[in-house]
Amino acid sequence: MTSHQTTQTMKPATAAKKLGVYLEATPAEFQEGVVSRSELSALQADPPEWLVELRRNGPHPRPVVAAKLGVSISGLARGGVTEALTTEQIEALKQELPEWLEKERATQAEVRKETVRIKEKEKGKDAKGDA
């Protein structure tokens, strides 16, 4: 009985998400094909020029935009940012520092503080349980 390995593939949208790039900005051959796990690994290990350029200048997908601005994806939506942004547009927003961005950054900082507090509390419970 012989078993043969099937190559695992993913949709271009999944591969773009794993690469941290905006699908619509990728080359047509990337958007129209399927990507195997080995191809994804090769793209991550030795990115082609188009991937390097996309990561550097965008347009970036919302999760990347949110991270670069220091806000949540929901915070972007509340601020009216629903499209992919280029690095230049992100930098302009940072310079402008609109009210919504200041507010969302403050909210995000509070969320992070609360997350740390909860983790510390859980560590305390674990330590008591181990004793």
Side-chain angles (χ1 to χ4, degrees):
M1 185 166 204
T2 59
S3 66
H4 69 288
Q5 197 87 23
T6 57
T7 304
Q8 288 185 327
T9 59
M10 61 193 84
K11 294 177 182 175
T14 304
K17 188 174 185 179
K18 289 181 182 283
L19 292 169
V21 296
Y22 186 56
L23 178 62
E24 286 75 11
T26 61
E29 59 270 13
F30 181 86
Q31 292 180 39
E32 294 163 4
V34 292
V35 181
S36 70
R37 292 214 178 266
S38 60
E39 289 170 331
L40 179 68
S41 294
L43 286 170
Q44 289 170 323
D46 186 23
E49 186 56 38
W50 64 264
L51 182 53
V52 171
E53 190 64 26
L54 264 181
R55 286 177 169 166
R56 183 182 311 126
N57 299 317
H60 303 287
R62 288 182 311 147
V64 174
V65 173
K68 287 180 180 270
L69 289 173
V71 300
S72 66
I73 295 171
S74 300
L76 281 181
R78 285 189 294 270
V81 178
T82 57
E83 299 297 315
L85 298 179
T86 63
T87 301
E88 193 176 299
Q89 291 169 315
I90 293 168
E91 290 305 316
L93 269 175
K94 285 179 178 178
Q95 293 299 315
E96 255 173 57
L97 203 57
E99 191 178 319
W100 71 265
L101 182 54
E102 282 187 77
K103 182 180 174 204
E104 292 300 333
R105 281 181 167 176
T107 301
Q108 191 69 5
E110 287 300 317
V111 168
R112 285 189 187 114
K113 271 193 231 172
E114 182 64 9
T115 301
V116 168
R117 187 190 69 76
I118 290 169
K119 281 185 182 176
E120 291 299 320
K121 187 176 177 183
E122 291 298 317
K123 276 185 190 175
K125 283 183 182 177
D126 289 346
K128 286 180 184 175
D130 293 342

